[in-house]
Amino acid sequence: MKFKPNQTRTYDGEGFKKRAACLCFRNEQEDEVLLVSSSRHPDQWIVPGGGMEPEEEPCGAAVREVYEEAGVKGKLGRLLGVFEQNQDRKHRTYVYVLTVTETLEAWEDSVNIGRKREWFTVEEAIKVLQCHKPVHAEYLKRLRLACSPTNGNALVPSRPDDNRSLYVTTQGPALPPSRR
């Protein structure tokens, strides 16, 4: 199990734990995503991410978490959305897209806790995540929906024109995304 003795949990003004994560893709086609084994349940897969440190920006936290948990570096892309989880613990997670450019042989969590990583197609990843971490599956569903040619969008802009973040709330079954 992962243990960080000096970790300070940070919360926003509404009492949500501030988190950041990245959907790490093998290339810009975004058809293969990297998942890591859970520190609590090593036989289950998750999207790399974790808590933000005080004074840390969401994009910096996302890149740091991916480096620690997955042992990869890359080109940080767009903010996919801000996902809220209200079930057992209140989390607000900033989820970015990252194209992997470097993969380390050994990295912090592989050495310290034996964490593994594996590439999955987006469809496989959604299935794998749906049981253990349904909110993580929602990240990929949002990606697929946002880039679907049927909705008229080829790409999602890096920053929304109105500078508002896209929030997706999960409370059991997935709810449709809403803008705040």
Side-chain angles (χ1 to χ4, degrees):
M1 182 175 290
K2 196 168 185 178
F3 177 69
K4 290 188 173 181
N6 298 326
Q7 183 180 22
T8 303
R9 296 188 194 309
T10 57
Y11 297 86
D12 65 16
E14 298 176 74
F16 284 84
K17 182 179 177 191
K18 292 166 52 174
R19 299 184 76 254
C22 283
L23 293 176
C24 300
F25 291 99
R26 192 184 295 262
N27 55 46
E28 292 181 2
Q29 279 71 50
E30 298 179 359
D31 50 6
E32 286 185 278
V33 64
L34 188 67
L35 300 181
V36 296
S37 58
S38 167
S39 60
R40 290 190 180 98
H41 307 281
D43 59 330
Q44 297 174 335
W45 299 99
I46 61 171
V47 171
M52 291 171 53
E53 295 176 359
E55 309 301 318
E56 191 174 34
E57 292 295 321
C59 58
V63 169
R64 176 184 51 76
E65 286 291 339
V66 164
Y67 182 73
E68 291 172 2
E69 292 189 359
V72 297
K73 295 180 181 181
K75 180 179 147 198
L76 188 66
R78 66 195 180 276
L79 173 64
L80 183 62
V82 182
F83 294 76
E84 293 179 353
Q85 183 177 1
N86 293 313
Q87 289 173 326
D88 43 355
R89 293 172 277 171
K90 287 174 62 170
H91 291 152
R92 188 168 281 153
T93 306
Y94 294 77
V95 180
Y96 293 86
V97 171
L98 181 129
T99 304
V100 174
T101 58
E102 184 180 345
T103 305
L104 304 175
E105 289 297 319
W107 65 98
E108 184 176 329
D109 280 5
S110 72
V111 171
N112 294 340
I113 63 170
R115 193 183 297 268
K116 294 173 180 56
R117 64 183 173 212
E118 190 171 315
W119 292 102
F120 292 85
T121 66
V122 171
E123 292 304 318
E124 289 171 335
I126 289 171
K127 288 177 188 170
V128 166
L129 294 168
Q130 195 63 50
C131 296
H132 175 63
K133 283 285 189 183
V135 71
H136 291 195
E138 290 303 314
Y139 305 164
L140 288 164
K141 289 178 183 178
R142 159 66 44 197
L143 174 91
R144 192 174 57 188
L145 207 116
C147 294
S148 168
T150 60
N151 71 4
N153 292 331
L155 291 173
V156 176
S158 297
R159 304 247 188 273
D161 293 335
D162 59 7
N163 266 347
R164 291 184 297 171
S165 295
L166 172 66
Y167 283 87
V168 178
T169 305
T170 58
Q171 301 172 335
L175 299 175
S178 62
R179 279 209 173 255
R180 290 192 176 178

